[in-house]
Amino acid sequence: MEKHGRIIKGIAGFYYVRTEDDSLYECKARGSFRNEKRKPLVGDYVTISILDEDKKTGSLDQIMDRKNELIRPLVANIDQAIVIFAVKSPAPNFMLLDTFLARMELAGIDSIICFNKMDLDADGSLQKQIREIYEPLYPVIFTSTKTGEGVDVLKGYLHKKCSTVAGPSGVGKSSLINMLQERTQMETGGISEKTERGRHTTRHSELIEVEKDTYILDTPGFTSLRMDDFEKEEIEEGFREILQYKNCRFAGCSHIHEPDCGVREALLKGKISKSRYDSYVKMYEECKEKRRY
Ligand SMILES: Nc1nc2c(ncn2[C@@H]2O[C@H](COP(=O)(O)OP(=O)(O)OP(=O)(O)O)[C@@H](O)[C@H]2O)c(=O)[nH]1
Ligand SMILES: [Mg+2]
Ligand SMILES: [Zn+2]
């Protein structure tokens, strides 16, 4: 018997497929995928044939065409990315955030920025600084899993979409996801002091159904992201504000040292934030460096 479904989790060669009738099957990919070099991804819409209905096992027979696919995190058919940082502990690394945002821009995926642990920003000064940089560019949400503030706003953005949730380790991604849904409780850094590793961090990606047709993908935290798989000329496409102001004298302007550069002019006038511009320059240099290897 054949069924349609979606891969919600992949562990050690097994794919867990949630089917239209809301069952979950453990599937092995058909051997031919390996020959075709097509690897099933979390988020893929698939056709499976049932091997054993009692044991809920199946064979993954067919992968539907993908709307998009991401490498970091490895996932297919995403509608948007929710990038989560903490206002503090850990302190936000804006270069890391900007790299993530640029990668999403280049992949054609919309981002929403969520700053968690707002309870640690009692006087709101961190919030103010963050808003100044990012609010002109992206939706910015502030949340706290301690007070519950902002969680409903976040939920509103997720409605009927498939969102990947990404961010550094320890910012509260799993804690937030636990507040958003009841079905699967993710392990968080707080509640698992008993385990050998001392602390439970997310180690594989999993699609979680928050409500009907609303999915979020919890992913392991990242500590670094690079842009060196892109050409330096492509980096500007990762910055909405640079695309907006690049009325420069020279075609192919790097926006770093050329005269009559619209981007540096906008920077001087305060229309582009220094922090974002610095991230752009760092990424550009990073891409230039790699040519020497
Ligand atoms: N003060 C404060 N602490 C929080 C908040 N949300 C989460 N935490 C704490 O931050 C720690 C990390 O939370 P997790 O949800 O495990 O973080 P994560 O982003 O899933 O981490 P990884 O799985 O390692 O990527 C835990 O000790 C949480 O209790 C918050 O809103 N405020
Ligand atoms: Mg986690
Ligand atoms: Zn320029």
Side-chain angles (χ1 to χ4, degrees):
M1 194 178 121
E2 219 181 59
K3 282 190 180 184
H4 297 288
R6 191 167 197 192
I7 301 178
I8 61 162
K9 186 161 66 168
I11 304 175
F14 286 101
Y15 298 94
Y16 296 83
V17 176
R18 171 85 58 203
T19 49
E20 286 168 341
D21 56 0
D22 211 26
S23 300
L24 188 66
Y25 292 90
E26 183 184 82
C27 302
K28 274 248 176 221
R30 201 161 45 85
S32 58
F33 286 130
R34 236 160 293 150
N35 309 333
E36 296 165 25
K37 293 205 171 109
R38 287 218 299 156
K39 201 177 143 50
L41 296 180
V42 169
D44 266 331
Y45 292 101
V46 296
T47 308
I48 63 169
S49 40
I50 312 303
L51 295 178
D52 188 323
E53 184 55 51
D54 294 330
K55 290 190 187 134
K56 293 281 183 221
T57 56
S59 155
L60 207 161
D61 294 338
Q62 203 190 347
I63 304 173
M64 306 302 155
D65 286 343
R66 289 167 187 155
K67 171 170 121 172
N68 55 39
E69 76 184 71
L70 280 180
I71 302 170
R72 277 166 262 179
L74 197 56
V75 64
N77 302 314
I78 283 297
D79 296 314
Q80 62 186 10
I82 314 277
V83 56
I84 303 183
F85 276 70
V87 292
K88 70 190 232 192
S89 50
N93 174 340
F94 291 125
M95 171 68 182
L96 189 58
L97 171 56
D98 293 335
T99 308
F100 183 87
L101 293 170
R103 296 193 69 90
M104 290 303 133
E105 291 294 336
L106 284 153
I109 293 169
D110 284 333
S111 295
I112 289 156
I113 304 172
C114 173
F115 274 94
N116 188 40
K117 307 200 187 186
M118 68 181 293
D119 54 287
L120 300 180
D121 180 31
D123 66 358
S125 58
L126 299 168
Q127 183 170 155
K128 183 167 174 281
Q129 182 198 345
I130 290 161
R131 280 191 196 279
E132 273 168 16
I133 304 173
Y134 292 102
E135 227 160 34
L137 302 166
Y138 293 95
V140 186
I141 310 164
F142 290 87
T143 56
S144 166
T145 65
K146 299 289 171 208
T147 67
E149 261 178 290
V151 176
D152 282 341
V153 181
L154 179 59
K155 200 162 189 170
Y157 276 102
L158 300 175
H159 193 62
K160 302 284 179 212
K161 293 200 165 128
C162 181
S163 311
T164 173
V165 167
S169 193
V171 299
K173 298 181 297 297
S174 298
S175 306
L176 271 169
I177 289 172
N178 285 345
M179 286 196 81
L180 292 165
Q181 48 87 44
E182 299 82 39
R183 191 165 188 159
T184 328
Q185 285 293 306
M186 305 310 287
E187 292 162 326
T188 66
I191 53 164
S192 48
E193 252 92 39
K194 290 178 227 115
T195 61
E196 291 158 42
R197 294 184 76 240
R199 197 170 100 81
H200 246 306
T201 55
T202 304
R203 294 163 82 184
H204 59 262
S205 300
E206 177 169 0
L207 265 191
I208 302 147
E209 194 172 14
V210 183
E211 51 186 50
K212 183 101 182 82
D213 298 327
T214 301
Y215 285 93
I216 38 184
L217 179 80
D218 189 16
T219 66
F222 53 75
T223 46
S224 70
L225 277 179
R226 296 181 67 87
M227 290 299 281
D228 51 10
D229 46 337
F230 292 100
E231 298 302 323
K232 62 185 189 316
E233 292 78 15
E234 292 177 290
I235 303 298
E236 64 177 28
E237 285 160 44
F239 288 77
R240 295 178 174 182
E241 66 275 55
I242 291 183
L243 294 183
Q244 187 185 343
Y245 288 108
K246 55 170 271 194
N247 49 337
C248 311
R249 192 209 302 184
F250 297 107
C253 180
S254 72
H255 321 304
I256 297 175
H257 45 68
E258 296 89 338
D260 298 329
C261 168
V263 173
R264 284 196 299 145
E265 213 166 277
L267 175 70
L268 285 175
K269 288 183 184 156
K271 288 177 180 158
I272 288 181
S273 93
K274 173 89 170 73
S275 151
R276 292 273 296 168
Y277 179 77
D278 288 349
S279 293
Y280 165 77
V281 174
K282 261 195 232 167
M283 286 178 216
Y284 189 95
E285 300 294 344
E286 208 174 86
C287 284
K288 224 162 75 180
E289 293 290 313
K290 83 179 161 182
R291 298 269 151 232
R292 298 199 199 121
Y293 298 136

